Every structure is written in C-alpha cells, then in structure tokens.
Amino acid sequence: MATLYEAHNTGDTTYSYGGGALWMAQTFTPQTTHTITSVKLKLYKSGTPGTVTVGIRHIDADAKPTGSDLCSGTTDGDTLTTDTGGEWRTISLGSGYILSTDVRYAIVVRSAGSYVYWRQNSGYTRGNNATSDDSGATWTSQLQDMMFEDWGDPGAATVSTQATSAIANISAIGNGLISNLGTSSVTQHGHCWATTIHPTTASSLTTNGTGSVGT
C-alpha cells in the first residue's frame, strides 16, 4: 500500500500555468528514503491540453531541474476539471525511482496542447517552484510553491557491508549499515563468517551484532 511522504497540500491561493514549450516544476526534498511511485498534483485546465507528462528529475547547483526524467507518467489533460479551484489528479510513475533522504528532486510538468493550471501558494521550505519557456532547456525560479503529494513505497531493506576492522589472530570486528528497513522490519542482523569463501547463514554467524569467533 502506498505511503504519503513529502507534501505541500493546503492553503493554495493562486496558480501557475504551462502548455507547449512552457513547462512547470516544483522541487522537493524527501525526509525518508523511498521509491516514489506516484504523485498527486492539484490541477485544472483550459481548452484541450492533451497528454500531460509528469517526470521526476535531478536538480542542478541552482536548485533547478536538470537531465532527463528518472521516472515519468502521463494523464489525460482533457479530462481535468475546468473549475479554477482545481482537482487532485494522481499520476502513476511506473516502477518509480528510489529517492534519497535529504536530496532535492524536481517534479516537472508539461502538456502537449493548451494550458494546464497548477494550484500553488507560498510556504513550502524544502523546495521551490521554477518555470521554463523553452521546453526545459533553461529554468527561472519563482516565489510560490506548487501543490503536490509524493506517494511511494519504502521498498526493500537497504544494507551495505563495510570493511572488517580490528583483525587479529582469533578475532575481528565485522561492520555494516542498515540504512532503510524497507517494507518489513528487520528482526535480526549480523555477519556470517567461515574459513572458506562465501559463508552463509548455515555457517558460523553473529546475531544482532554479537557473537563469538570459533577456532
């Protein structure tokens, strides 16, 4: 089941708009590592925007979108409401992309036809709004912040093995880091060891970080 992570979703007072070569973006900074699988954006339309494409991108040193989409999805802009209060539209991002804690990314929105309007207000402190009038080649930062919700999945546990230290004749310290618990809590952790290569849990092991080295 999807989880709501980062969001700016209350108190919208105005809007930005885009269509054709005019693109819109909102940068955001996740507070938890997760796989983003969809976004909800507060949108409305005028005319016939056609296909609306939403992508997640890296940002450059000036906190503006850069590079190609890390993941993306589309929605039928012609079915958006014409009510200027907007509607929350969910855009699936396929298999998604793993976002890292405290790394800023950008939600980039563009439409093939006439204008899509994105509701906004000020007050989001972990990102900024930007617009482009040349299909994403260059960007200009704006003062207001777009209304968005970042939905995703914690994914699999993230584990990294680190170098063994304090190596002696009959002892050593195994090191590692569990940086993300994933979809289910980690119940045990430790290191497998053996005097031959590729030890498994059937070999000697430590449990929850403690254990003895055999002879």
Side-chain angles (χ1 to χ4, degrees), residues 13-25:
T13 57
T14 184
Y15 60 84
S16 185
Y17 63 89
L22 184 58
W23 291 16
M24 302 176 285

Side-chain angles (χ1 to χ4, degrees), residues 52-135:
V52 177
T53 301
V54 178
I56 305 299
R57 296 191 175 189
H58 287 302
I59 64 165
D60 61 20
D62 295 320
K64 297 172 183 176
T66 188
S68 57
D69 292 338
L70 304 171
C71 59
S72 64
T74 62
T75 190
D76 184 356
D78 294 345
T79 64
L80 287 168
T81 183
T82 57
D83 185 332
T84 58
E87 65 167 282
W88 283 102
R89 176 64 63 96
T90 298
I91 298 95
S92 174
L93 300 175
S95 57
Y97 184 82
I98 299 175
L99 305 183
S100 298
T101 303
D102 293 331
V103 174
R104 187 173 293 191
Y105 301 89
I107 303 169
V108 177
V109 176
R110 60 270 197 194
S111 64
S114 57
Y115 290 140
V116 170
Y117 295 78
W118 193 351
R119 297 292 301 178
Q120 62 179 6
N121 74 340
S122 59
Y124 180 65
T125 59
R126 297 177 63 81
N128 61 278
N129 168 14
T131 58
S132 170
D133 60 8
D134 53 10
S135 301

Side-chain angles (χ1 to χ4, degrees), residues 148-172:
F148 74 93
E149 293 182 351
D150 153 24
W151 289 82
D153 185 334
T158 304
V159 180
S160 59
T161 301
Q162 300 167 341
T164 302
S165 60
I167 301 172
N169 289 337
I170 60 170
S171 66

